[in-house]
């Protein structure tokens, strides 16, 4: 049984590491979308349709990042459960 616990712990750690990378990637996507929105808003003349589309993209990127952060938190809890009983 100790081997099973070690295996579960390692799987939890691997899933947590993957979740951390995904969170980092989603944050980069969010930052990129926000930067592009800022550029569109600063452009003269402003392209209202493009700005609105980019705002929607920022909203989606934010939702994706929040979901990734939740997944990361859940994976951290699994590491705590399996590796520190």
């Amino acid at each position: 049984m100790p081997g099973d616990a070690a295996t579960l712990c390692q799987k939890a750690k691997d899933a947590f590491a993957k979740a951390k990378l995904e969170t980092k990637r989603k944050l980069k996507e969010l930052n990129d979308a926000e930067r592009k929105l800022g550029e569109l808003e600063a452009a003269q003349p402003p392209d209202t349709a493009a700005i609105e589309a980019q705002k929607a993209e920022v909203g989606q990127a934010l939702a994706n990042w929040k979901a990734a952060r939740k997944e990361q938190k859940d994976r951290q809890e699994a590491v705590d459960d399996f590796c520190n009983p």
Side-chain angles (χ1 to χ4, degrees), residues 27-80:
L27 180 59
K28 182 183 181 315
E29 289 175 4
L30 174 59
N31 289 336
D32 290 347
E34 288 177 333
R35 184 180 63 251
K36 185 175 178 181
L37 176 60
E39 291 169 0
L40 286 170
E41 290 175 333
Q44 292 299 325
D47 182 344
T48 306
I51 290 171
E52 290 307 312
Q54 191 61 30
K55 283 181 180 180
E57 189 172 321
V58 168
Q60 185 60 54
L62 179 60
N64 292 344
W65 174 71
K66 286 179 178 180
R69 281 196 37 159
K70 183 184 181 316
E71 179 69 17
Q72 180 180 336
K73 182 180 178 215
D74 292 346
R75 297 300 177 182
Q76 176 65 59
E77 290 173 0
V79 168
D80 294 343

